[in-house]
Coordinates of all heavy atoms in Angstrom, one line a residue:
M1 N -23.1 -5.2 -31.1 CA -23.2 -6.4 -30.2 C -23.2 -5.9 -28.8 O -22.4 -5.0 -28.4 CB -22.1 -7.4 -30.5 CG -21.8 -8.4 -29.4 SD -20.5 -9.6 -29.7 CE -19.3 -8.7 -30.6
E2 N -24.0 -6.5 -27.9 CA -24.0 -6.3 -26.5 C -23.7 -7.6 -25.8 O -24.4 -8.5 -26.0 CB -25.3 -5.6 -26.1 CG -25.5 -4.2 -26.6 CD -26.9 -3.6 -26.1 OE1 -27.7 -4.4 -25.6 OE2 -27.0 -2.4 -26.3
L3 N -22.8 -7.5 -24.8 CA -22.5 -8.7 -24.0 C -22.4 -8.3 -22.6 O -22.0 -7.2 -22.2 CB -21.1 -9.3 -24.4 CG -20.8 -9.8 -25.8 CD1 -19.4 -10.1 -26.0 CD2 -21.7 -11.0 -26.1
T4 N -22.9 -9.2 -21.7 CA -22.6 -9.0 -20.3 C -21.2 -9.4 -20.0 O -20.5 -10.1 -20.8 CB -23.6 -9.9 -19.5 OG1 -23.3 -11.3 -19.7 CG2 -25.1 -9.7 -19.8
L5 N -20.7 -9.1 -18.8 CA -19.4 -9.5 -18.4 C -19.2 -11.0 -18.4 O -18.2 -11.5 -18.8 CB -19.0 -8.9 -17.0 CG -18.6 -7.4 -17.0 CD1 -18.5 -6.9 -15.6 CD2 -17.4 -7.1 -17.8
N6 N -20.3 -11.7 -18.0 CA -20.3 -13.1 -18.0 C -20.2 -13.7 -19.4 O -19.4 -14.7 -19.7 CB -21.6 -13.6 -17.3 CG -21.4 -14.9 -16.5 OD1 -20.3 -15.1 -16.0 ND2 -22.4 -15.7 -16.4
Q7 N -20.9 -13.1 -20.4 CA -20.8 -13.5 -21.8 C -19.4 -13.2 -22.4 O -18.9 -14.0 -23.2 CB -21.9 -12.9 -22.6 CG -23.3 -13.4 -22.3 CD -24.4 -12.5 -22.9 OE1 -24.2 -11.3 -23.0 NE2 -25.4 -13.2 -23.4
L8 N -18.8 -12.1 -22.0 CA -17.5 -11.7 -22.5 C -16.5 -12.7 -22.1 O -15.5 -12.9 -22.9 CB -17.2 -10.3 -21.8 CG -15.9 -9.7 -22.3 CD1 -15.9 -9.4 -23.8 CD2 -15.6 -8.4 -21.5
K9 N -16.6 -13.5 -21.0 CA -15.6 -14.4 -20.6 C -15.4 -15.5 -21.6 O -14.4 -16.1 -21.7 CB -16.1 -15.1 -19.3 CG -16.0 -14.2 -18.1 CD -16.5 -15.0 -16.8 CE -16.6 -14.0 -15.6 NZ -17.3 -14.7 -14.5
E10 N -16.4 -15.7 -22.5 CA -16.4 -16.8 -23.5 C -15.3 -16.4 -24.6 O -15.0 -17.3 -25.4 CB -17.7 -17.0 -24.2 CG -18.8 -17.5 -23.2 CD -20.2 -17.6 -23.9 OE1 -20.2 -17.8 -25.1 OE2 -21.2 -17.4 -23.2
F11 N -14.9 -15.2 -24.6 CA -14.0 -14.7 -25.7 C -12.6 -14.4 -25.1 O -12.0 -13.4 -25.4 CB -14.6 -13.5 -26.4 CG -15.9 -13.7 -27.0 CD1 -17.1 -13.6 -26.3 CD2 -16.0 -14.3 -28.3 CE1 -18.3 -13.8 -26.8 CE2 -17.2 -14.6 -28.9 CZ -18.4 -14.3 -28.1
D12 N -12.1 -15.4 -24.3 CA -10.8 -15.2 -23.6 C -9.7 -15.9 -24.3 O -8.5 -15.9 -23.8 CB -10.9 -15.7 -22.2 CG -11.2 -17.2 -22.1 OD1 -11.3 -17.9 -23.2 OD2 -11.2 -17.8 -21.0
G13 N -9.9 -16.4 -25.5 CA -8.9 -17.1 -26.3 C -8.7 -18.6 -26.0 O -8.0 -19.2 -26.7
S14 N -9.5 -19.1 -25.1 CA -9.4 -20.5 -24.8 C -10.0 -21.4 -25.9 O -9.7 -22.6 -26.0 CB -10.0 -20.9 -23.4 OG -11.3 -20.5 -23.4
D15 N -11.0 -20.8 -26.6 CA -11.6 -21.5 -27.7 C -11.1 -20.9 -29.0 O -11.4 -19.8 -29.4 CB -13.1 -21.4 -27.7 CG -13.8 -22.1 -28.8 OD1 -13.2 -22.5 -29.8 OD2 -15.1 -22.3 -28.6
P16 N -10.2 -21.7 -29.8 CA -9.6 -21.1 -31.0 C -10.6 -20.7 -32.1 O -10.2 -20.0 -33.0 CB -8.6 -22.2 -31.4 CG -8.9 -23.4 -30.7 CD -9.8 -23.0 -29.5
S17 N -11.8 -21.3 -32.0 CA -12.8 -20.9 -33.0 C -13.5 -19.6 -32.7 O -14.2 -19.1 -33.6 CB -13.9 -22.0 -33.1 OG -14.7 -22.0 -32.0
K18 N -13.2 -19.0 -31.6 CA -13.9 -17.7 -31.3 C -12.8 -16.6 -31.3 O -11.6 -16.8 -31.0 CB -14.5 -17.8 -29.9 CG -15.7 -18.7 -29.8 CD -16.3 -18.6 -28.4 CE -17.5 -19.5 -28.3 NZ -18.1 -19.5 -27.0
P19 N -13.3 -15.3 -31.5 CA -12.3 -14.2 -31.4 C -11.9 -13.9 -30.0 O -12.6 -14.5 -29.1 CB -13.1 -13.1 -32.0 CG -14.6 -13.4 -31.9 CD -14.6 -15.0 -31.9
I20 N -10.9 -13.1 -29.8 CA -10.5 -12.7 -28.4 C -10.9 -11.3 -28.2 O -10.6 -10.4 -29.1 CB -9.0 -12.9 -28.3 CG1 -8.5 -14.3 -28.6 CG2 -8.5 -12.4 -26.9 CD1 -7.0 -14.5 -28.6
Y21 N -11.6 -11.0 -27.1 CA -12.1 -9.7 -26.8 C -11.6 -9.2 -25.5 O -11.4 -9.9 -24.6 CB -13.6 -9.7 -26.7 CG -14.4 -10.0 -28.0 CD1 -15.7 -10.4 -28.0 CD2 -13.8 -9.8 -29.3 CE1 -16.5 -10.7 -29.1 CE2 -14.6 -10.1 -30.4 CZ -15.9 -10.5 -30.3 OH -16.6 -10.8 -31.5
V22 N -11.3 -7.9 -25.5 CA -11.0 -7.2 -24.3 C -11.8 -5.9 -24.2 O -12.0 -5.2 -25.2 CB -9.4 -6.8 -24.3 CG1 -9.1 -5.9 -23.1 CG2 -8.5 -8.0 -24.3
S23 N -12.4 -5.7 -23.1 CA -13.2 -4.4 -22.9 C -12.4 -3.4 -22.2 O -11.6 -3.6 -21.3 CB -14.4 -4.8 -22.1 OG -15.2 -3.6 -21.8
V24 N -12.5 -2.1 -22.7 CA -11.9 -0.9 -22.1 C -13.0 0.1 -21.9 O -13.7 0.4 -22.9 CB -10.8 -0.4 -22.9 CG1 -10.2 0.9 -22.3 CG2 -9.7 -1.4 -23.2
R25 N -13.3 0.5 -20.7 CA -14.4 1.4 -20.4 C -15.7 1.0 -21.0 O -16.4 1.8 -21.6 CB -14.0 2.8 -20.8 CG -13.1 3.5 -20.0 CD -12.9 5.0 -20.3 NE -12.1 5.7 -19.4 CZ -11.3 6.6 -19.7 NH1 -11.2 7.0 -21.0 NH2 -10.5 7.2 -18.8
G26 N -15.9 -0.4 -21.0 CA -17.2 -0.9 -21.5 C -17.3 -1.1 -23.0 O -18.3 -1.7 -23.5
R27 N -16.3 -0.6 -23.7 CA -16.3 -0.9 -25.1 C -15.5 -2.2 -25.4 O -14.4 -2.3 -24.9 CB -15.7 0.3 -25.9 CG -16.6 1.5 -25.9 CD -16.2 2.6 -26.8 NE -14.8 2.9 -26.6 CZ -14.0 3.5 -27.6 NH1 -14.5 3.8 -28.8 NH2 -12.8 3.8 -27.3
I28 N -16.0 -3.1 -26.2 CA -15.3 -4.3 -26.5 C -14.5 -4.2 -27.8 O -15.0 -3.9 -28.9 CB -16.4 -5.5 -26.7 CG1 -17.2 -5.6 -25.4 CG2 -15.7 -6.8 -27.0 CD1 -18.5 -6.5 -25.5
F29 N -13.2 -4.5 -27.6 CA -12.3 -4.5 -28.8 C -12.0 -6.0 -29.1 O -11.8 -6.8 -28.3 CB -11.0 -3.8 -28.4 CG -11.1 -2.4 -28.2 CD1 -11.5 -1.9 -26.9 CD2 -10.9 -1.5 -29.2 CE1 -11.7 -0.5 -26.7 CE2 -11.0 -0.1 -29.0 CZ -11.4 0.4 -27.7
D30 N -11.9 -6.2 -30.5 CA -11.5 -7.5 -31.0 C -10.0 -7.5 -31.1 O -9.4 -6.8 -31.9 CB -12.1 -7.8 -32.4 CG -11.8 -9.2 -32.9 OD1 -10.8 -9.8 -32.5 OD2 -12.5 -9.6 -33.8
V31 N -9.3 -8.2 -30.2 CA -7.8 -8.2 -30.1 C -7.2 -9.4 -30.7 O -6.1 -9.8 -30.5 CB -7.3 -7.9 -28.7 CG1 -7.8 -6.6 -28.2 CG2 -7.7 -9.0 -27.8
T32 N -8.0 -10.2 -31.5 CA -7.6 -11.4 -32.0 C -6.3 -11.3 -32.8 O -5.4 -12.2 -32.8 CB -8.7 -12.1 -32.9 OG1 -9.9 -12.1 -32.2 CG2 -8.3 -13.5 -33.4
T33 N -6.1 -10.2 -33.5 CA -4.9 -10.0 -34.3 C -3.6 -9.9 -33.4 O -2.5 -10.1 -33.8 CB -4.9 -8.8 -35.2 OG1 -5.2 -7.6 -34.4 CG2 -6.0 -8.9 -36.3
G34 N -3.9 -9.6 -32.1 CA -2.8 -9.6 -31.1 C -2.7 -10.9 -30.3 O -2.4 -10.8 -29.1
K35 N -3.1 -12.0 -30.9 CA -3.2 -13.2 -30.2 C -1.9 -13.6 -29.4 O -2.0 -14.2 -28.3 CB -3.5 -14.4 -31.2 CG -3.9 -15.7 -30.6 CD -4.1 -16.8 -31.5 CE -4.9 -16.4 -32.7 NZ -5.3 -17.5 -33.6
S36 N -0.7 -13.2 -29.9 CA 0.5 -13.5 -29.2 C 0.6 -12.8 -27.9 O 1.3 -13.2 -27.0 CB 1.7 -13.2 -30.1 OG 1.7 -11.8 -30.4
F37 N -0.2 -11.7 -27.7 CA -0.2 -10.9 -26.5 C -1.4 -11.3 -25.6 O -1.3 -11.4 -24.4 CB -0.3 -9.4 -26.8 CG 0.9 -8.8 -27.4 CD1 0.9 -8.6 -28.8 CD2 2.0 -8.6 -26.7 CE1 2.0 -8.0 -29.5 CE2 3.1 -8.0 -27.3 CZ 3.1 -7.8 -28.7
Y38 N -2.6 -11.5 -26.3 CA -3.8 -11.7 -25.5 C -4.3 -13.2 -25.5 O -5.2 -13.5 -24.7 CB -4.9 -10.8 -26.1 CG -4.6 -9.3 -25.9 CD1 -4.1 -8.6 -27.0 CD2 -4.7 -8.7 -24.7 CE1 -3.7 -7.3 -26.9 CE2 -4.4 -7.4 -24.6 CZ -3.8 -6.7 -25.7 OH -3.5 -5.3 -25.5
G39 N -3.7 -14.0 -26.3 CA -4.1 -15.4 -26.3 C -3.5 -16.2 -25.2 O -2.7 -15.6 -24.4
P40 N -3.9 -17.4 -25.0 CA -3.3 -18.2 -23.9 C -1.8 -18.2 -23.9 O -1.2 -18.4 -24.9 CB -3.9 -19.6 -24.2 CG -5.1 -19.4 -25.0 CD -4.8 -18.2 -25.9
G41 N -1.3 -18.0 -22.7 CA 0.2 -17.9 -22.5 C 0.8 -16.6 -22.9 O 2.0 -16.4 -22.6
G42 N 0.0 -15.7 -23.5 CA 0.5 -14.4 -23.8 C 0.7 -13.5 -22.5 O 0.0 -13.7 -21.5
P43 N 1.5 -12.4 -22.6 CA 1.7 -11.6 -21.5 C 0.5 -10.8 -21.0 O 0.5 -10.4 -19.8 CB 2.8 -10.6 -21.9 CG 2.8 -10.7 -23.5 CD 2.3 -12.0 -23.8
Y44 N -0.5 -10.6 -21.8 CA -1.7 -9.9 -21.4 C -2.9 -10.8 -21.4 O -4.1 -10.3 -21.5 CB -1.9 -8.7 -22.3 CG -0.8 -7.7 -22.2 CD1 0.1 -7.5 -23.3 CD2 -0.5 -7.0 -21.1 CE1 1.2 -6.7 -23.3 CE2 0.6 -6.2 -21.0 CZ 1.4 -6.0 -22.1 OH 2.5 -5.2 -22.0
A45 N -2.7 -12.1 -21.4 CA -3.8 -13.1 -21.5 C -4.8 -12.9 -20.4 O -6.0 -13.1 -20.6 CB -3.3 -14.5 -21.5
L46 N -4.4 -12.4 -19.2 CA -5.3 -12.2 -18.1 C -6.4 -11.1 -18.4 O -7.4 -11.1 -17.7 CB -4.6 -12.0 -16.8 CG -4.1 -10.6 -16.5 CD1 -4.1 -10.4 -15.0 CD2 -2.7 -10.4 -17.0
F47 N -6.2 -10.3 -19.4 CA -7.1 -9.3 -19.8 C -8.2 -9.8 -20.7 O -9.3 -9.2 -20.8 CB -6.5 -8.1 -20.5 CG -5.4 -7.3 -19.6 CD1 -4.5 -6.6 -20.3 CD2 -5.4 -7.4 -18.2 CE1 -3.5 -5.9 -19.5 CE2 -4.4 -6.7 -17.5 CZ -3.5 -6.0 -18.1
S48 N -7.9 -10.9 -21.4 CA -8.8 -11.4 -22.4 C -10.2 -11.9 -21.8 O -10.2 -12.6 -20.8 CB -8.2 -12.5 -23.2 OG -7.0 -12.0 -23.8
G49 N -11.3 -11.5 -22.4 CA -12.6 -12.0 -22.0 C -13.0 -11.1 -20.8 O -14.0 -11.6 -20.1
K50 N -12.4 -10.0 -20.5 CA -12.7 -9.2 -19.3 C -12.6 -7.7 -19.6 O -12.1 -7.3 -20.7 CB -11.7 -9.5 -18.2 CG -11.7 -10.9 -17.7 CD -10.6 -11.2 -16.7 CE -10.6 -12.6 -16.3 NZ -9.2 -13.1 -16.3
D51 N -13.1 -6.9 -18.7 CA -12.9 -5.5 -18.8 C -11.6 -5.2 -18.1 O -11.5 -5.4 -16.9 CB -14.1 -4.7 -18.2 CG -14.0 -3.2 -18.5 OD1 -12.9 -2.6 -18.2 OD2 -15.0 -2.6 -19.0
A52 N -10.6 -4.7 -18.8 CA -9.3 -4.5 -18.2 C -9.0 -3.0 -17.8 O -7.9 -2.6 -17.6 CB -8.3 -4.9 -19.2
S53 N -10.1 -2.2 -17.8 CA -9.9 -0.8 -17.6 C -9.0 -0.4 -16.3 O -8.1 0.3 -16.5 CB -11.3 -0.1 -17.4 OG -12.1 -0.3 -18.5
R54 N -9.4 -0.9 -15.2 CA -8.6 -0.6 -13.9 C -7.2 -1.1 -14.1 O -6.3 -0.3 -13.7 CB -9.3 -1.2 -12.7 CG -8.7 -0.7 -11.4 CD -9.4 -1.3 -10.2 NE -9.0 -0.6 -9.0 CZ -9.4 0.6 -8.6 NH1 -10.3 1.3 -9.3 NH2 -8.9 1.2 -7.5
A55 N -7.0 -2.3 -14.5 CA -5.6 -2.8 -14.6 C -4.8 -2.0 -15.6 O -3.6 -1.7 -15.3 CB -5.7 -4.3 -15.1
L56 N -5.3 -1.5 -16.7 CA -4.6 -0.7 -17.7 C -4.3 0.6 -17.0 O -3.1 1.1 -17.1 CB -5.4 -0.5 -18.9 CG -5.6 -1.8 -19.8 CD1 -6.6 -1.5 -20.9 CD2 -4.3 -2.2 -20.4
A57 N -5.2 1.2 -16.3 CA -5.0 2.5 -15.7 C -3.9 2.4 -14.7 O -3.1 3.4 -14.5 CB -6.3 3.0 -15.0
K58 N -3.8 1.3 -13.9 CA -2.8 1.1 -12.9 C -1.6 0.5 -13.4 O -0.6 0.3 -12.6 CB -3.4 0.3 -11.7 CG -4.6 1.0 -11.0 CD -5.3 0.1 -10.0 CE -4.4 -0.2 -8.8 NZ -4.3 0.9 -7.8
M59 N -1.5 0.1 -14.7 CA -0.4 -0.6 -15.2 C -0.2 -1.9 -14.4 O 1.0 -2.1 -14.0 CB 0.9 0.3 -15.3 CG 0.7 1.5 -16.1 SD 0.9 1.4 -17.9 CE 2.6 1.0 -18.0
S60 N -1.2 -2.6 -14.1 CA -1.2 -3.7 -13.2 C -1.5 -5.0 -13.9 O -2.4 -5.0 -14.7 CB -2.2 -3.5 -12.0 OG -2.4 -4.6 -11.3
K61 N -0.9 -6.1 -13.5 CA -1.2 -7.4 -13.9 C -1.8 -8.3 -12.8 O -1.7 -9.4 -12.8 CB 0.0 -8.1 -14.6 CG 0.3 -7.5 -16.0 CD 1.3 -8.4 -16.6 CE 1.7 -8.0 -18.0 NZ 2.7 -8.9 -18.5
N62 N -2.2 -7.6 -11.7 CA -2.9 -8.2 -10.6 C -4.3 -8.6 -11.0 O -5.0 -7.7 -11.4 CB -2.8 -7.4 -9.3 CG -1.4 -7.2 -8.8 OD1 -0.5 -8.0 -9.0 ND2 -1.2 -6.0 -8.2
E63 N -4.6 -9.8 -10.7 CA -6.0 -10.3 -11.1 C -7.1 -9.4 -10.5 O -8.1 -9.2 -11.2 CB -6.1 -11.8 -10.5 CG -7.4 -12.5 -11.0 CD -7.3 -12.9 -12.5 OE1 -6.3 -13.4 -13.0 OE2 -8.4 -12.7 -13.2
E64 N -6.9 -9.0 -9.3 CA -8.0 -8.2 -8.6 C -8.2 -6.8 -9.3 O -9.2 -6.1 -9.1 CB -7.7 -8.0 -7.1 CG -6.5 -7.2 -6.8 CD -5.2 -8.0 -6.6 OE1 -5.2 -9.2 -7.0 OE2 -4.2 -7.4 -6.1
D65 N -7.2 -6.3 -10.1 CA -7.3 -5.1 -10.8 C -7.9 -5.2 -12.2 O -8.3 -4.2 -12.8 CB -5.9 -4.4 -11.0 CG -5.4 -3.9 -9.6 OD1 -6.2 -3.5 -8.8 OD2 -4.1 -3.9 -9.5
V66 N -8.2 -6.4 -12.6 CA -8.8 -6.7 -13.9 C -10.3 -6.5 -13.8 O -10.9 -7.6 -13.6 CB -8.3 -8.0 -14.6 CG1 -8.9 -8.1 -16.0 CG2 -6.8 -8.1 -14.6
C67 N -10.8 -5.3 -13.8 CA -12.2 -5.0 -13.6 C -12.5 -3.7 -14.3 O -11.6 -2.9 -14.6 CB -12.6 -5.1 -12.2 SG -11.9 -3.8 -11.2
A68 N -13.8 -3.3 -14.3 CA -14.2 -2.1 -14.9 C -14.2 -0.9 -14.0 O -14.2 0.2 -14.4 CB -15.7 -2.3 -15.4
S69 N -14.1 -1.2 -12.7 CA -14.2 -0.1 -11.7 C -13.0 0.9 -11.8 O -11.8 0.6 -11.8 CB -14.2 -0.7 -10.3 OG -14.1 0.4 -9.3
L70 N -13.4 2.2 -11.9 CA -12.4 3.3 -11.9 C -12.4 4.0 -10.6 O -11.7 5.1 -10.5 CB -12.7 4.2 -13.1 CG -12.8 3.6 -14.5 CD1 -13.1 4.6 -15.5 CD2 -11.5 2.8 -14.8
D71 N -13.1 3.6 -9.6 CA -13.3 4.2 -8.3 C -11.9 4.4 -7.7 O -11.1 3.4 -7.6 CB -14.1 3.4 -7.4 CG -15.6 3.3 -7.8 OD1 -16.0 4.1 -8.7 OD2 -16.3 2.5 -7.3
G72 N -11.6 5.6 -7.2 CA -10.4 5.9 -6.5 C -9.1 6.0 -7.3 O -8.1 6.2 -6.7
L73 N -9.3 6.0 -8.6 CA -8.1 6.2 -9.4 C -7.7 7.7 -9.5 O -8.5 8.5 -9.4 CB -8.4 5.7 -10.9 CG -8.5 4.2 -11.1 CD1 -8.8 4.0 -12.6 CD2 -7.4 3.4 -10.6
S74 N -6.4 7.9 -9.5 CA -5.8 9.2 -9.6 C -6.0 9.8 -11.0 O -6.3 9.1 -11.9 CB -4.3 9.3 -9.2 OG -3.6 8.6 -10.2
A75 N -5.9 11.1 -11.1 CA -5.9 11.8 -12.4 C -4.9 11.2 -13.3 O -5.1 11.0 -14.5 CB -5.8 13.3 -12.2
K76 N -3.7 11.0 -12.8 CA -2.6 10.4 -13.6 C -3.0 9.0 -14.1 O -2.7 8.7 -15.3 CB -1.3 10.3 -12.7 CG -0.1 9.7 -13.5 CD 1.1 9.7 -12.6 CE 2.3 9.1 -13.4 NZ 3.4 8.7 -12.6
E77 N -3.6 8.2 -13.2 CA -4.0 6.8 -13.7 C -5.1 6.9 -14.8 O -5.1 6.2 -15.8 CB -4.5 6.0 -12.5 CG -3.4 5.6 -11.6 CD -3.9 5.1 -10.2 OE1 -4.9 5.5 -9.7 OE2 -3.1 4.2 -9.7
I78 N -6.0 7.9 -14.7 CA -7.1 8.1 -15.7 C -6.4 8.5 -17.0 O -6.8 8.0 -18.1 CB -8.1 9.1 -15.2 CG1 -8.9 8.6 -14.0 CG2 -9.0 9.5 -16.4 CD1 -9.8 7.4 -14.3
G79 N -5.3 9.3 -16.9 CA -4.6 9.7 -18.1 C -3.9 8.5 -18.7 O -3.9 8.4 -20.0
V80 N -3.4 7.6 -17.9 CA -2.8 6.4 -18.5 C -3.8 5.6 -19.2 O -3.6 5.1 -20.3 CB -2.1 5.6 -17.3 CG1 -1.7 4.2 -17.8 CG2 -0.9 6.3 -16.8
L81 N -5.0 5.5 -18.6 CA -6.1 4.7 -19.2 C -6.5 5.4 -20.6 O -6.7 4.7 -21.5 CB -7.3 4.6 -18.3 CG -8.5 3.9 -18.8 CD1 -8.2 2.5 -19.3 CD2 -9.6 3.9 -17.8
D82 N -6.5 6.7 -20.6 CA -6.9 7.4 -21.8 C -5.9 7.1 -22.9 O -6.3 6.8 -24.0 CB -6.8 8.9 -21.6 CG -7.9 9.5 -20.7 OD1 -9.0 8.8 -20.5 OD2 -7.8 10.6 -20.2
D83 N -4.6 7.0 -22.5 CA -3.5 6.6 -23.5 C -3.7 5.2 -24.0 O -3.6 4.9 -25.2 CB -2.1 6.8 -22.9 CG -1.8 8.2 -22.6 OD1 -2.4 9.2 -23.2 OD2 -0.8 8.5 -21.9
W84 N -4.0 4.3 -23.1 CA -4.3 2.9 -23.5 C -5.5 2.8 -24.4 O -5.5 2.1 -25.4 CB -4.5 2.0 -22.3 CG -3.2 1.4 -21.7 CD1 -2.7 1.8 -20.5 CD2 -2.4 0.4 -22.2 NE1 -1.5 1.1 -20.3 CE2 -1.3 0.2 -21.4 CE3 -2.4 -0.3 -23.5 CZ2 -0.3 -0.7 -21.6 CZ3 -1.4 -1.2 -23.7 CH2 -0.4 -1.4 -22.8
E85 N -6.5 3.6 -24.1 CA -7.7 3.5 -24.9 C -7.4 4.0 -26.3 O -7.9 3.4 -27.3 CB -8.8 4.4 -24.3 CG -10.2 4.1 -24.8 CD -11.3 4.8 -24.0 OE1 -11.0 5.7 -23.2 OE2 -12.5 4.4 -24.2
K86 N -6.6 5.0 -26.5 CA -6.2 5.5 -27.8 C -5.4 4.5 -28.5 O -5.6 4.3 -29.8 CB -5.4 6.8 -27.7 CG -6.3 8.0 -27.3 CD -5.4 9.3 -27.2 CE -6.2 10.4 -26.7 NZ -5.8 10.9 -25.4
K87 N -4.6 3.7 -27.8 CA -3.8 2.7 -28.5 C -4.7 1.6 -29.0 O -4.5 1.1 -30.1 CB -2.8 2.1 -27.5 CG -1.6 3.0 -27.3 CD -0.7 2.5 -26.3 CE 0.4 3.5 -25.9 NZ 1.1 3.2 -24.7
F88 N -5.7 1.2 -28.2 CA -6.7 0.2 -28.6 C -7.5 0.6 -29.8 O -7.7 -0.1 -30.7 CB -7.6 -0.2 -27.5 CG -7.1 -1.3 -26.5 CD1 -6.1 -1.1 -25.6 CD2 -7.6 -2.6 -26.7 CE1 -5.6 -2.1 -24.8 CE2 -7.1 -3.6 -25.8 CZ -6.1 -3.4 -24.9
E89 N -7.9 1.9 -29.8 CA -8.7 2.4 -30.9 C -7.9 2.4 -32.2 O -8.5 2.2 -33.2 CB -9.1 3.9 -30.6 CG -10.2 4.0 -29.5 CD -10.5 5.3 -29.0 OE1 -9.7 6.3 -29.3 OE2 -11.5 5.5 -28.3
A90 N -6.6 2.7 -32.1 CA -5.8 2.8 -33.3 C -5.5 1.4 -33.9 O -5.3 1.2 -35.1 CB -4.5 3.5 -33.0
K91 N -5.5 0.4 -33.0 CA -5.0 -0.9 -33.4 C -6.1 -2.0 -33.6 O -6.0 -2.9 -34.4 CB -4.0 -1.4 -32.3 CG -3.1 -2.5 -32.8 CD -2.0 -2.7 -31.8 CE -1.0 -3.7 -32.3 NZ 0.1 -4.0 -31.4
Y92 N -7.2 -1.8 -32.8 CA -8.2 -2.9 -32.8 C -9.6 -2.3 -33.2 O -9.9 -1.1 -32.9 CB -8.3 -3.6 -31.5 CG -6.9 -4.2 -31.1 CD1 -6.2 -3.7 -30.0 CD2 -6.4 -5.2 -31.8 CE1 -5.0 -4.2 -29.6 CE2 -5.2 -5.8 -31.5 CZ -4.5 -5.3 -30.4 OH -3.3 -5.9 -30.0
T93 N -10.5 -3.2 -33.6 CA -11.9 -2.8 -34.0 C -12.8 -2.9 -32.7 O -12.7 -3.9 -32.0 CB -12.4 -3.7 -35.1 OG1 -11.5 -3.7 -36.2 CG2 -13.8 -3.3 -35.5
V94 N -13.6 -1.9 -32.6 CA -14.7 -2.0 -31.5 C -15.8 -2.8 -32.1 O -16.3 -2.6 -33.2 CB -15.2 -0.6 -31.2 CG1 -16.4 -0.7 -30.1 CG2 -14.1 0.3 -30.6
V95 N -16.2 -3.9 -31.4 CA -17.2 -4.8 -31.9 C -18.5 -4.8 -31.0 O -19.5 -5.4 -31.4 CB -16.6 -6.3 -32.0 CG1 -15.6 -6.3 -33.0 CG2 -16.2 -6.7 -30.6
G96 N -18.5 -4.0 -30.0 CA -19.6 -3.9 -29.1 C -19.4 -3.3 -27.8 O -18.4 -2.5 -27.6
K97 N -20.4 -3.5 -26.9 CA -20.2 -2.9 -25.5 C -20.7 -3.8 -24.5 O -21.5 -4.7 -24.8 CB -21.0 -1.6 -25.5 CG -22.5 -1.7 -25.6 CD -23.1 -0.3 -25.5 CE -24.6 -0.5 -25.5 NZ -25.3 0.8 -25.3
V98 N -20.2 -3.6 -23.3 CA -20.6 -4.4 -22.2 C -21.9 -3.8 -21.6 O -22.0 -2.6 -21.4 CB -19.5 -4.5 -21.1 CG1 -20.0 -5.2 -19.8 CG2 -18.3 -5.1 -21.6
V99 N -22.8 -4.7 -21.3 CA -24.1 -4.2 -20.6 C -24.3 -5.0 -19.3 O -23.7 -6.1 -19.1 CB -25.3 -4.5 -21.6 CG1 -25.3 -3.6 -22.8 CG2 -25.4 -5.9 -22.0
S100 N -25.1 -4.4 -18.4 CA -25.4 -5.1 -17.1 C -26.2 -6.3 -17.3 O -27.0 -6.4 -18.1 CB -26.0 -4.1 -16.2 OG -25.4 -2.9 -16.2

């Protein structure tokens, strides 16, 4: 499946009939099984329906960091993102990718 960032927004958990998706480095993970974390009211709900790469790398919950841009990140932050990506791969299914 290929989704634009705009289409990805539809999978933010606000519609209970749809799965919840989070993108990391352009790959879309189905995080529906982690609804208590990624669903409405969950501690990571702001990542749902978006590419959370920068926010994960920076360990940030600031809205402006919830984006795909890795520009200006330090090697340490890229390492943190690598660790998050491995956690997502171990726990959730990749269902597609983000396209322009």
Side-chain angles (χ1 to χ4, degrees):
M1 161 178 37
E2 293 183 343
L3 297 175
T4 64
L5 284 173
N6 215 30
Q7 291 168 320
L8 184 61
K9 289 177 188 173
E10 296 174 31
F11 300 92
D12 65 357
S14 59
D15 181 343
S17 71
K18 292 182 179 178
I20 302 171
Y21 293 159
V22 172
S23 174
V24 179
R25 284 191 175 142
R27 292 192 304 158
I28 301 168
F29 292 86
D30 183 338
V31 299
T32 309
T33 57
K35 193 185 310 192
S36 61
F37 294 101
Y38 298 99
Y44 301 111
L46 79 152
F47 298 159
S48 299
K50 300 178 186 134
D51 189 306
S53 300
R54 186 176 193 83
L56 291 170
K58 294 174 70 75
M59 302 278 290
S60 169
K61 285 189 179 179
N62 294 327
E63 190 73 42
E64 66 270 12
D65 289 327
V66 185
C67 66
S69 174
L70 304 180
D71 294 345
L73 292 179
S74 68
K76 183 180 179 191
E77 288 169 329
I78 294 296
V80 169
L81 179 57
D82 290 342
D83 291 344
W84 274 110
E85 195 169 17
K86 286 181 186 116
K87 287 176 188 166
F88 272 77
E89 288 169 348
K91 199 168 187 180
Y92 304 113
T93 304
V94 175
V95 295
K97 66 179 183 175
V98 175
V99 294
S100 312

